[in-house]
Amino acid sequence: VYTFPKMKKSFYEMLKDTAEKFSEKTGLCDNWGRCYSYQEFLHMVDSMAAYLKYVRHLEKGSHVGLLLNNGIEFATSFYALCKLGAVAVPFPTKYREPEVRSLIEKADLQGILASEDYGWVRSYSEAGIFVEVTADEEEGYGFAEAVAKGNISEMMCAEPGCGELNDEFILMFTSGTTSASKGVILKNYNVNHAVMIYQKLLELGPEDKTIIPVPIYHITGLVALLGLFVYIGGTIYLYKRYDAKRILEGVKRDGITFMHGSPTVFGQLLDYREEFPELPGIRTLACGSSYMPVETMKKLHRWMPLMKFCNVYGMTETSSPGTVFPYDAATSLYPGSEGKPVPGLMLKILDDDGREVPDGTVGVVYLKGANICEYYYHLKTPLITEDGWLNTGDMGYINEDSYVFIVDRKKDMINRGGEKIWCTDVEDELVAVEGVKDAAVVGIPSKKYGEVAAALIVLESGVQMTAEELKADLKSRLAKFKIPEQILFADAVPKTPGLKTDKKTIKTMFADADRIS
């Protein structure tokens, strides 16, 4: 693979380098306003690593589950595992207990580090898995009692096996049903390349500050925020739960300059734009995880006219970035584009027969490069070819200026009697209708056409609109076959724990509506 010639061996070495450059600088602030300098954070990481090695007897390659909230406990554990050459296995704290248990069974764990909110994990100690649960997080560092047992003088970074570029670092399960989720293995060089790419393309430095507005166990939280900001020596604010108003208060009070979130995150921030009419500190917003409607992006830009909005397309398998918009997408010629492939990554578009298609033709997106996972955990799949190409399962095309457009997941494309409907096309036009706040389009069964489009609509506060009025508005915007044949109104679009539109649930809503009618 092609990557940077002077790359640190691991996230831990990046942290150590930052602590040497900015030892007294505030690195992280927790949910209760307690702040830690980079030197303090490094000491906490070293202490945790010593505890895990000498008390819990972790070795290089050991798998350790993290069931921890956005907080200093997650950050210290994550970097301590990196120092040891162990593999971090982040579990979604939004999952219910049976869902997490299903993932635990697939992960071959030697240990579990958990928040006091999830004390049920203690039962795994009976199976020979060590379990460490935090205590009194609101009062202080939740692992303080545990790490007091560590002997950091014995733990030296130069010790063999403390992390090489080709070592496995993260085992992360993809979203979806827990039985079908795939375990993505990311190595040190994958995630190191990703953070270095983000720093270059987003032009971030030690003066920047961010809030992690997404669950930290997501690839965005781990790499595009925590890993990135430790690498650049910026300041990170960790909020235990997502609260749009609290985040905006923090943006204003703490001088936040950068945020990376999902369309859901930014959509909820827009609800408070009248309360916070000016946010001059924000320089850059990055948006990934799912498609950002162009009109929503433009609303954000009208609210914060001095900021740069960068679309990002990626996934767990790409260590976060696959393509990044190189400048402000909202004011560009191609606001619906996801940008261009990041340096060190190749992209091609193939048809169903595996042949590359001409520019402007929709096909399946394949990726290969430095930040792409090499394999899944205990799973052989044609999604990763023998020569390292990842089949993303996404449909897209490249235009004449080499900008990438993602039109839909292949499985979500609607085939209406032979006419292809890309959900993002319809969603863009729906959100552009005055009074529509959010929209999601799915395919539903049709006796006549096989399947047709249906839309779930969220209206702006105080707006009243009927399905027929909305369809009439769409007649001048969309081809007739693309106009949703059924429309339901709701207070919110259902989301998965990964903050993506939950199309399975939406389809059941239309099925239930049919049964009722």
Side-chain angles (χ1 to χ4, degrees):
V1 298
Y2 293 92
T3 187
F4 297 92
K6 294 182 179 179
M7 177 184 280
K8 298 295 181 183
K9 290 182 179 179
S10 66
F11 269 23
Y12 175 78
E13 284 201 358
M14 289 180 174
L15 166 61
K16 194 172 181 184
D17 183 64
T18 294
E20 289 173 359
K21 292 178 183 174
F22 309 107
S23 60
E24 301 305 316
K25 185 176 185 293
T26 297
L28 298 95
C29 295
D30 71 11
N31 188 67
W32 295 277
R34 295 183 291 262
C35 294
Y36 306 85
S37 71
Y38 272 109
Q39 192 59 49
E40 289 172 323
F41 180 53
L42 177 63
H43 179 81
M44 293 165 75
V45 168
D46 286 341
S47 297
M48 189 67 177
Y51 171 73
L52 293 174
K53 182 175 178 66
Y54 295 109
V55 179
R56 292 302 193 175
H57 308 296
L58 278 191
E59 299 177 350
K60 182 176 180 178
S62 296
H63 288 198
V64 179
L66 302 179
L67 190 60
L68 295 160
N69 300 309
N70 285 25
I72 193 68
E73 293 81 12
F74 188 106
T76 53
S77 301
F78 185 60
Y79 276 86
L81 293 174
C82 181
K83 177 175 185 178
L84 294 174
V87 178
V89 189
F91 294 124
T93 54
K94 287 189 176 183
Y95 276 15
R96 296 182 296 273
E97 181 180 330
E99 295 174 300
V100 178
R101 286 188 182 276
S102 176
L103 296 180
I104 289 174
E105 296 304 315
K106 298 171 72 170
D108 297 323
L109 300 180
Q110 280 72 54
I112 299 174
L113 302 172
S115 166
E116 57 195 334
D117 298 338
Y118 314 102
W120 55 264
V121 299
R122 290 188 176 93
S123 63
Y124 282 95
S125 59
E126 299 170 6
I129 298 173
F130 86 76
V131 178
E132 191 69 54
V133 178
T134 65
D136 302 321
E137 290 179 23
E138 191 169 351
E139 302 303 317
Y141 176 44
F143 286 129
E145 185 176 336
V147 299
K149 304 170 187 174
N151 184 350
I152 63 171
S153 64
E154 296 184 47
M155 189 63 202
M156 304 296 290
C157 184
E159 180 180 347
C162 74
E164 298 294 333
L165 281 172
N166 205 42
D167 287 345
E168 296 179 357
F169 174 30
I170 300 170
L171 166 57
M172 185 178 294
F173 291 98
T174 59
S175 58
T177 61
T178 50
S179 59
S181 61
K182 300 182 291 293
V184 177
I185 292 287
L186 297 176
K187 296 187 172 184
N188 283 326
Y189 80 86
N190 295 137
V191 295
N192 292 3
H193 183 87
V195 300
M196 295 174 78
I197 284 294
Y198 270 134
Q199 186 273 322
K200 299 287 186 185
L201 296 183
L202 299 176
E203 301 177 301
L204 299 170
E207 72 282 357
D208 282 296
K209 299 179 180 181
T210 193
I211 292 172
I212 298 186
V214 295
I216 200 168
Y217 57 77
H218 288 173
I219 195 66
T220 300
L222 282 179
V223 174
L225 288 165
L226 178 61
L228 170 61
F229 268 70
V230 169
Y231 170 62
I232 65 175
T235 301
I236 306 162
Y237 290 83
L238 298 159
Y239 289 179
K240 184 176 179 180
R241 298 282 184 267
Y242 177 71
D243 180 319
K245 186 174 181 179
R246 184 188 178 196
I247 282 176
L248 288 170
E249 289 170 346
V251 167
K252 195 169 184 179
R253 179 186 63 248
D254 300 317
I256 301 301
T257 62
F258 172 80
M259 280 200 298
H260 190 150
S262 66
T264 302
V265 164
F266 293 124
Q268 291 183 26
L269 293 180
L270 278 167
D271 292 341
Y272 295 93
R273 60 188 181 274
E274 290 184 7
E275 257 183 85
F276 300 87
E278 294 184 354
L279 297 169
I282 292 286
R283 293 194 303 110
T284 307
L285 296 180
C287 183
S289 87
S290 57
Y291 180 72
M292 166 63 88
V294 171
E295 184 57 33
T296 303
M297 184 199 314
K298 290 184 175 180
K299 286 178 183 177
L300 286 163
H301 210 276
R302 288 193 289 271
W303 183 18
M304 294 173 268
L306 299 179
M307 68 87 178
K308 176 174 71 173
F309 193 96
C310 296
N311 286 324
V312 176
Y313 165 68
M315 56 194 70
T316 304
E317 287 90 337
T318 69
S319 310
S320 184
T323 68
V324 175
F325 208 91
Y327 52 99
D328 180 47
T331 57
S332 75
L333 290 173
Y334 308 120
S337 167
E338 303 295 343
K340 298 187 177 186
V342 301
L345 183 137
M346 296 180 285
L347 180 149
K348 63 183 179 180
I349 310 288
L350 302 184
D351 62 19
D352 290 339
D353 296 321
R355 296 173 301 204
E356 287 199 52
V357 301
D359 288 354
T361 303
V362 173
V364 181
V365 179
Y366 281 73
L367 301 171
K368 180 181 179 179
N371 49 309
I372 305 296
C373 72
E374 296 178 21
Y375 46 80
Y376 294 101
Y377 187 62
H378 289 173
L379 178 67
K380 288 188 176 180
T381 168
L383 291 178
I384 300 177
T385 65
E386 288 186 6
D387 56 349
W389 285 95
L390 170 70
N391 178 349
T392 67
D394 289 319
M395 305 296 290
Y397 66 93
I398 302 171
N399 75 1
E400 65 278 8
D401 291 326
S402 300
Y403 282 84
V404 177
F405 292 76
I406 304 298
V407 297
D408 217 339
R409 292 289 293 168
K410 187 173 185 179
K411 65 182 180 181
D412 291 333
M413 182 199 76
I414 301 167
N415 188 337
R416 182 186 183 275
E419 298 276 12
K420 293 180 179 179
I421 302 173
W422 309 115
C423 294
T424 55
D425 287 349
V426 184
E427 289 163 354
D428 257 344
E429 295 302 333
L430 285 166
V431 174
V433 173
E434 187 174 352
V436 174
K437 177 182 175 183
D438 200 2
V441 174
V442 297
I444 60 173
S446 164
K447 290 180 180 179
K448 185 175 181 180
Y449 296 107
E451 62 178 343
V452 294
L456 186 70
I457 303 296
V458 180
L459 296 175
E460 298 278 5
S461 178
V463 172
Q464 292 186 339
M465 185 183 300
T466 67
E468 293 308 315
E469 288 171 339
L470 183 53
K471 288 181 184 180
D473 201 313
L474 293 174
K475 286 181 179 179
S476 62
R477 300 171 180 268
L478 289 170
K480 185 178 179 181
F481 73 88
K482 293 183 181 180
I483 295 175
E485 297 204 12
Q486 288 193 38
I487 293 176
L488 291 177
F489 295 92
D491 293 332
V493 171
K495 303 292 181 182
T496 67
L499 298 180
K500 297 180 180 179
T501 299
D502 189 345
K503 298 214 169 185
K504 287 184 179 179
T505 296
I506 294 170
K507 288 184 178 183
T508 64
M509 294 169 70
F510 282 97
D512 291 342
D514 284 343
R515 284 194 288 270
I516 293 169
S517 60

